[in-house]
Each structure stands twice: as C-alpha cells, then as structure tokens.
Amino acid sequence: MTTTATTAASPSPVRPTRRTRRRLGLVGIAAAVVLALTACNVSEQQFIDMTNGTRSSVGVRSLQMNVALTLKAESWAAKMAQDGFLSHSRLQDNNPYGTWTKLGENVARAGSLQAAYDALLASPGHYANIVDPAFNFIGVGVVFDGTNYWIVQEFMAM
C-alpha cells in the first residue's frame, strides 16, 4: 500500500506597497479624527441629556451637539479647573460660525454632575439659557479634578 501525502503550499505573504501603506495610514488617521471630533465623553453626553430632558419637559425642542462648541466648552472647563475658579469666557472667541444670532454660556462647579445641574436649574439666568427656545446647538465640557466637576455649557442659535 502506497501512501501519498499532499501538502498545500501556503502562499507567500504579500507585502503591501508603500502607496497602500500610506493610504491605510491616512484612512486610520481620518477615522481617529472623526471619532475624536464627533464623540463627547460620557459626562458631557449625560449633561446634554439632562439639558434636553429639561427642555422637553417644557415643550422646547432638543439641542444638537455641536463639535466646535464642545471643543470650546472643553477648553474653558479645563482652564477653570486649572485656575481653580469659575469664570465666563468671551462668548464669541473660538466660535467659527459667523452666522450665529445668539450665544449663551453656563458655568458650574460641584462635587457631582447632578449637583451642578441642580444648581444651574435653581438659578433663573442659567435656567433661562437651558430652556431658551432660540438656542438650537449645544457644546458641553466637563473636567473632573479629583474633587469637583468643572462644567461649561455653550449655547448657540443659528
């Protein structure tokens, strides 16, 4: 009896060309940038959800998250946390939209997101920003320094 063994030849690995590697690298970079620009962190999304819940409860349409406003809010929240005190930004700074009709800002600091949000709701001026039907875009920045949450809400009407 004769036994014959066959083996399948494994294909030699194909090495991508420099051009293919470059394209794949650009696609990866583009994907990372898109994810970074379109996603806000969990705390920021939670604050947007609370804001839109309040707006919904009084019959006002939800706000859409805006990347430019989010970046501005995140930057300002980080600055306040670093400086150790609350302050308002210059609303028109770092706003790439020249066609806005109204801008607003709320800033808060508290030991929890809920405590900060409750404080904003208890303040007539801050509450007015939250439920203002003129606003249609929002950006939220949240920084936790180990003790406090530093929060910025940026509002815009276009």
Side-chain angles (χ1 to χ4, degrees):
M1 174 181 334
T2 307
T3 305
T4 307
T6 59
T7 59
S10 57
S12 60
V14 176
R15 191 171 175 137
T17 65
R18 178 179 287 173
R19 184 176 183 186
T20 300
R21 287 192 310 268
R22 191 175 311 134
R23 284 183 182 167
L24 289 173
L26 291 175
V27 168
I29 290 169
V33 168
V34 167
L35 285 174
L37 292 178
T38 58
C40 50
N41 71 42
V42 173
S43 297
E44 292 165 354
Q45 186 60 55
Q46 183 179 353
F47 226 76
I48 291 170
D49 292 344
M50 288 189 283
T51 301
N52 281 331
T54 300
R55 290 173 66 87
S56 176
S57 74
V58 296
V60 179
R61 74 180 179 277
S62 292
L63 298 167
Q64 294 178 342
M65 192 277 292
N66 178 278
V67 173
L69 292 178
T70 298
L71 293 173
K72 180 182 186 331
E74 289 171 342
S75 174
W76 195 254
K79 181 186 180 341
M80 290 190 311
Q82 180 180 1
D83 294 346
F85 61 88
L86 290 174
S87 61
H88 284 280
S89 70
R90 287 177 31 96
L91 290 177
Q92 64 274 22
D93 286 355
N94 301 320
N95 188 330
Y97 304 101
T99 57
W100 55 266
T101 57
K102 186 174 186 179
L103 297 172
E105 178 178 74
N106 289 344
V107 297
R109 179 190 73 205
S112 73
L113 292 176
Q114 191 63 56
Y117 191 71
D118 291 344
L120 292 173
L121 291 179
S123 163
H126 295 104
Y127 179 79
N129 279 341
I130 290 170
V131 298
D132 189 331
F135 292 130
N136 48 359
F137 294 100
I138 189 170
V140 173
V142 176
V143 172
F144 183 66
D145 67 6
T147 304
N148 288 303
Y149 288 90
W150 298 81
I151 300 156
V152 176
Q153 291 178 301
E154 299 287 350
F155 301 95
M156 180 173 63
M158 285 182 66

Short mmCIF file of all heavy atoms in Angstrom, two decimals, residues 33-73:
data_model
loop_
_atom_site.label_atom_id
_atom_site.label_comp_id
_atom_site.label_asym_id
_atom_site.label_seq_id
_atom_site.Cartn_x
_atom_site.Cartn_y
_atom_site.Cartn_z
N VAL A 33 -9.63 61.00 13.75
CA VAL A 33 -10.05 62.40 13.84
C VAL A 33 -11.57 62.49 13.89
O VAL A 33 -12.14 63.23 14.70
CB VAL A 33 -9.48 63.23 12.67
CG1 VAL A 33 -10.13 64.59 12.58
CG2 VAL A 33 -7.97 63.36 12.81
N VAL A 34 -12.25 61.73 13.05
CA VAL A 34 -13.72 61.75 13.04
C VAL A 34 -14.25 61.31 14.40
O VAL A 34 -15.16 61.94 14.96
CB VAL A 34 -14.29 60.87 11.91
CG1 VAL A 34 -15.78 60.63 12.09
CG2 VAL A 34 -14.00 61.51 10.56
N LEU A 35 -13.70 60.24 14.97
CA LEU A 35 -14.16 59.78 16.28
C LEU A 35 -13.91 60.83 17.35
O LEU A 35 -14.75 61.08 18.20
CB LEU A 35 -13.46 58.47 16.65
CG LEU A 35 -13.96 57.23 15.94
CD1 LEU A 35 -13.08 56.03 16.29
CD2 LEU A 35 -15.41 56.94 16.27
N ALA A 36 -12.74 61.46 17.30
CA ALA A 36 -12.41 62.47 18.30
C ALA A 36 -13.33 63.68 18.20
O ALA A 36 -13.71 64.28 19.21
CB ALA A 36 -10.95 62.90 18.16
N LEU A 37 -13.69 64.05 16.99
CA LEU A 37 -14.49 65.25 16.81
C LEU A 37 -15.99 65.03 16.99
O LEU A 37 -16.72 65.97 17.23
CB LEU A 37 -14.23 65.85 15.42
CG LEU A 37 -12.84 66.44 15.21
CD1 LEU A 37 -12.71 66.95 13.79
CD2 LEU A 37 -12.57 67.55 16.20
N THR A 38 -16.44 63.82 16.86
CA THR A 38 -17.88 63.60 16.94
C THR A 38 -18.33 63.00 18.26
O THR A 38 -19.51 62.96 18.53
CB THR A 38 -18.35 62.67 15.80
OG1 THR A 38 -17.66 61.43 15.88
CG2 THR A 38 -18.14 63.30 14.44
N ALA A 39 -17.42 62.56 19.05
CA ALA A 39 -17.82 61.93 20.31
C ALA A 39 -17.47 62.83 21.48
O ALA A 39 -16.39 63.37 21.55
CB ALA A 39 -17.10 60.59 20.46
N CYS A 40 -18.43 63.01 22.36
CA CYS A 40 -18.11 63.69 23.60
C CYS A 40 -18.05 62.61 24.67
O CYS A 40 -18.52 61.50 24.47
CB CYS A 40 -19.13 64.78 23.92
SG CYS A 40 -20.85 64.32 23.84
N ASN A 41 -17.43 62.94 25.80
CA ASN A 41 -17.28 61.91 26.81
C ASN A 41 -18.62 61.64 27.50
O ASN A 41 -19.60 62.34 27.31
CB ASN A 41 -16.14 62.26 27.78
CG ASN A 41 -16.47 63.41 28.70
OD1 ASN A 41 -17.57 63.52 29.24
ND2 ASN A 41 -15.50 64.28 28.92
N VAL A 42 -18.64 60.61 28.31
CA VAL A 42 -19.88 60.15 28.94
C VAL A 42 -20.49 61.25 29.81
O VAL A 42 -21.71 61.47 29.78
CB VAL A 42 -19.63 58.87 29.76
CG1 VAL A 42 -20.85 58.47 30.56
CG2 VAL A 42 -19.19 57.74 28.85
N SER A 43 -19.67 61.94 30.59
CA SER A 43 -20.19 63.01 31.46
C SER A 43 -20.79 64.13 30.64
O SER A 43 -21.84 64.69 31.00
CB SER A 43 -19.07 63.56 32.34
OG SER A 43 -18.58 62.56 33.20
N GLU A 44 -20.15 64.47 29.54
CA GLU A 44 -20.67 65.54 28.68
C GLU A 44 -22.00 65.12 28.05
O GLU A 44 -22.95 65.91 28.01
CB GLU A 44 -19.64 65.90 27.61
CG GLU A 44 -18.42 66.58 28.20
CD GLU A 44 -17.22 66.64 27.26
OE1 GLU A 44 -17.26 66.07 26.16
OE2 GLU A 44 -16.23 67.28 27.66
N GLN A 45 -22.08 63.89 27.58
CA GLN A 45 -23.33 63.41 26.99
C GLN A 45 -24.42 63.36 28.05
O GLN A 45 -25.58 63.69 27.77
CB GLN A 45 -23.14 62.03 26.34
CG GLN A 45 -24.37 61.56 25.60
CD GLN A 45 -24.78 62.49 24.47
OE1 GLN A 45 -23.99 62.79 23.60
NE2 GLN A 45 -26.03 62.95 24.49
N GLN A 46 -24.08 62.97 29.26
CA GLN A 46 -25.06 62.94 30.35
C GLN A 46 -25.61 64.34 30.60
O GLN A 46 -26.81 64.53 30.79
CB GLN A 46 -24.43 62.36 31.61
CG GLN A 46 -25.39 62.22 32.77
CD GLN A 46 -24.74 61.61 34.00
OE1 GLN A 46 -23.59 61.18 33.98
NE2 GLN A 46 -25.46 61.61 35.10
N PHE A 47 -24.75 65.34 30.58
CA PHE A 47 -25.18 66.72 30.80
C PHE A 47 -26.07 67.20 29.65
O PHE A 47 -27.05 67.92 29.87
CB PHE A 47 -23.96 67.64 31.00
CG PHE A 47 -24.12 68.57 32.15
CD1 PHE A 47 -23.97 68.13 33.45
CD2 PHE A 47 -24.44 69.91 31.94
CE1 PHE A 47 -24.12 68.99 34.52
CE2 PHE A 47 -24.61 70.78 33.00
CZ PHE A 47 -24.44 70.32 34.29
N ILE A 48 -25.73 66.83 28.43
CA ILE A 48 -26.58 67.17 27.29
C ILE A 48 -27.94 66.50 27.43
O ILE A 48 -28.99 67.13 27.20
CB ILE A 48 -25.90 66.77 25.95
CG1 ILE A 48 -24.68 67.66 25.69
CG2 ILE A 48 -26.90 66.86 24.79
CD1 ILE A 48 -23.82 67.20 24.53
N ASP A 49 -27.95 65.25 27.85
CA ASP A 49 -29.21 64.53 28.04
C ASP A 49 -30.07 65.18 29.12
O ASP A 49 -31.30 65.31 28.96
CB ASP A 49 -28.95 63.06 28.37
CG ASP A 49 -28.35 62.27 27.22
OD1 ASP A 49 -28.39 62.75 26.05
OD2 ASP A 49 -27.82 61.17 27.48
N MET A 50 -29.45 65.60 30.22
CA MET A 50 -30.20 66.28 31.28
C MET A 50 -30.79 67.59 30.74
O MET A 50 -31.96 67.91 31.01
CB MET A 50 -29.32 66.55 32.50
CG MET A 50 -28.97 65.31 33.29
SD MET A 50 -28.15 65.64 34.87
CE MET A 50 -26.48 66.03 34.34
N THR A 51 -29.99 68.32 29.99
CA THR A 51 -30.44 69.59 29.42
C THR A 51 -31.62 69.36 28.47
O THR A 51 -32.64 70.06 28.56
CB THR A 51 -29.28 70.28 28.68
OG1 THR A 51 -28.21 70.51 29.60
CG2 THR A 51 -29.71 71.60 28.07
N ASN A 52 -31.48 68.40 27.59
CA ASN A 52 -32.57 68.13 26.65
C ASN A 52 -33.81 67.57 27.35
O ASN A 52 -34.94 67.82 26.92
CB ASN A 52 -32.10 67.21 25.52
CG ASN A 52 -31.32 67.99 24.48
OD1 ASN A 52 -31.53 69.18 24.27
ND2 ASN A 52 -30.41 67.31 23.82
N GLY A 53 -33.63 66.85 28.44
CA GLY A 53 -34.77 66.39 29.23
C GLY A 53 -35.55 67.55 29.82
O GLY A 53 -36.78 67.56 29.80
N THR A 54 -34.82 68.53 30.34
CA THR A 54 -35.48 69.72 30.89
C THR A 54 -36.21 70.48 29.79
O THR A 54 -37.36 70.90 29.96
CB THR A 54 -34.45 70.64 31.58
OG1 THR A 54 -33.83 69.92 32.65
CG2 THR A 54 -35.10 71.91 32.11
N ARG A 55 -35.55 70.64 28.65
CA ARG A 55 -36.18 71.35 27.53
C ARG A 55 -37.44 70.63 27.08
O ARG A 55 -38.47 71.25 26.86
CB ARG A 55 -35.18 71.49 26.37
CG ARG A 55 -34.05 72.46 26.67
CD ARG A 55 -33.00 72.45 25.57
NE ARG A 55 -33.50 72.96 24.31
CZ ARG A 55 -33.50 74.25 23.95
NH1 ARG A 55 -33.02 75.17 24.77
NH2 ARG A 55 -33.96 74.61 22.76
N SER A 56 -37.37 69.32 26.98
CA SER A 56 -38.52 68.52 26.57
C SER A 56 -39.68 68.68 27.55
O SER A 56 -40.85 68.76 27.15
CB SER A 56 -38.11 67.06 26.45
OG SER A 56 -39.22 66.26 26.14
N SER A 57 -39.37 68.75 28.84
CA SER A 57 -40.41 68.85 29.87
C SER A 57 -41.19 70.16 29.79
O SER A 57 -42.30 70.25 30.32
CB SER A 57 -39.82 68.66 31.26
OG SER A 57 -39.09 69.81 31.66
N VAL A 58 -40.61 71.18 29.15
CA VAL A 58 -41.32 72.46 29.00
C VAL A 58 -41.72 72.70 27.54
O VAL A 58 -42.08 73.81 27.17
CB VAL A 58 -40.48 73.64 29.55
CG1 VAL A 58 -40.26 73.49 31.05
CG2 VAL A 58 -39.17 73.80 28.81
N GLY A 59 -41.62 71.65 26.71
CA GLY A 59 -42.09 71.76 25.33
C GLY A 59 -41.16 72.45 24.37
O GLY A 59 -41.59 72.95 23.33
N VAL A 60 -39.86 72.46 24.68
CA VAL A 60 -38.87 73.09 23.80
C VAL A 60 -38.06 71.99 23.11
O VAL A 60 -37.70 70.99 23.73
CB VAL A 60 -37.94 74.03 24.61
CG1 VAL A 60 -36.88 74.67 23.72
CG2 VAL A 60 -38.75 75.09 25.32
N ARG A 61 -37.75 72.20 21.82
CA ARG A 61 -37.03 71.17 21.06
C ARG A 61 -35.64 70.93 21.65
O ARG A 61 -35.03 71.80 22.26
CB ARG A 61 -36.91 71.57 19.59
CG ARG A 61 -35.90 72.67 19.31
CD ARG A 61 -35.84 73.01 17.82
NE ARG A 61 -34.90 74.07 17.57
CZ ARG A 61 -35.15 75.37 17.70
NH1 ARG A 61 -36.34 75.76 18.10
NH2 ARG A 61 -34.22 76.27 17.44
N SER A 62 -35.14 69.72 21.42
CA SER A 62 -33.81 69.33 21.90
C SER A 62 -32.72 70.09 21.17
O SER A 62 -32.88 70.49 20.02
CB SER A 62 -33.60 67.83 21.69
OG SER A 62 -34.45 67.10 22.52
N LEU A 63 -31.60 70.24 21.86
CA LEU A 63 -30.42 70.87 21.28
C LEU A 63 -29.57 69.81 20.59
O LEU A 63 -29.48 68.68 21.06
CB LEU A 63 -29.59 71.55 22.37
CG LEU A 63 -30.29 72.68 23.12
CD1 LEU A 63 -29.49 73.04 24.36
CD2 LEU A 63 -30.47 73.89 22.22
N GLN A 64 -28.93 70.18 19.50
CA GLN A 64 -28.00 69.30 18.81
C GLN A 64 -26.59 69.59 19.30
O GLN A 64 -26.20 70.76 19.44
CB GLN A 64 -28.05 69.53 17.30
CG GLN A 64 -29.35 69.17 16.67
CD GLN A 64 -29.34 69.47 15.17
OE1 GLN A 64 -28.52 70.22 14.67
NE2 GLN A 64 -30.28 68.88 14.46
N MET A 65 -25.81 68.53 19.54
CA MET A 65 -24.43 68.70 19.94
C MET A 65 -23.65 69.28 18.76
O MET A 65 -23.81 68.85 17.63
CB MET A 65 -23.82 67.35 20.36
CG MET A 65 -22.46 67.46 21.05
SD MET A 65 -21.01 67.60 19.98
CE MET A 65 -20.97 66.00 19.23
N ASN A 66 -22.82 70.28 19.04
CA ASN A 66 -22.02 70.94 18.03
C ASN A 66 -20.55 70.76 18.39
O ASN A 66 -20.15 71.08 19.53
CB ASN A 66 -22.40 72.43 17.97
CG ASN A 66 -21.59 73.20 16.97
OD1 ASN A 66 -20.47 73.60 17.26
ND2 ASN A 66 -22.15 73.41 15.80
N VAL A 67 -19.77 70.27 17.45
CA VAL A 67 -18.37 69.95 17.72
C VAL A 67 -17.57 71.19 18.12
O VAL A 67 -16.81 71.17 19.09
CB VAL A 67 -17.72 69.26 16.49
CG1 VAL A 67 -16.23 69.09 16.69
CG2 VAL A 67 -18.38 67.92 16.24
N ALA A 68 -17.73 72.28 17.39
CA ALA A 68 -16.96 73.49 17.71
C ALA A 68 -17.31 74.02 19.10
O ALA A 68 -16.42 74.43 19.86
CB ALA A 68 -17.20 74.57 16.65
N LEU A 69 -18.59 74.00 19.44
CA LEU A 69 -18.99 74.45 20.78
C LEU A 69 -18.46 73.50 21.85
O LEU A 69 -18.07 73.94 22.94
CB LEU A 69 -20.51 74.55 20.88
CG LEU A 69 -21.20 75.63 20.05
CD1 LEU A 69 -22.72 75.55 20.23
CD2 LEU A 69 -20.69 77.01 20.39
N THR A 70 -18.46 72.21 21.56
CA THR A 70 -17.94 71.23 22.51
C THR A 70 -16.45 71.46 22.77
O THR A 70 -16.00 71.45 23.92
CB THR A 70 -18.19 69.79 22.01
OG1 THR A 70 -19.60 69.59 21.90
CG2 THR A 70 -17.60 68.76 22.95
N LEU A 71 -15.68 71.68 21.71
CA LEU A 71 -14.25 71.94 21.88
C LEU A 71 -14.01 73.21 22.70
O LEU A 71 -13.13 73.25 23.56
CB LEU A 71 -13.56 72.04 20.52
CG LEU A 71 -13.53 70.73 19.71
CD1 LEU A 71 -12.98 70.98 18.31
CD2 LEU A 71 -12.72 69.67 20.43
N LYS A 72 -14.80 74.25 22.44
CA LYS A 72 -14.68 75.49 23.21
C LYS A 72 -15.02 75.24 24.67
O LYS A 72 -14.31 75.68 25.58
CB LYS A 72 -15.60 76.56 22.61
CG LYS A 72 -15.55 77.90 23.34
CD LYS A 72 -16.52 78.88 22.70
CE LYS A 72 -16.50 80.27 23.19
NZ LYS A 72 -16.15 80.62 24.48
N ALA A 73 -16.12 74.51 24.93
CA ALA A 73 -16.55 74.22 26.29
C ALA A 73 -15.52 73.37 27.03
O ALA A 73 -15.21 73.62 28.20
CB ALA A 73 -17.91 73.52 26.28
#
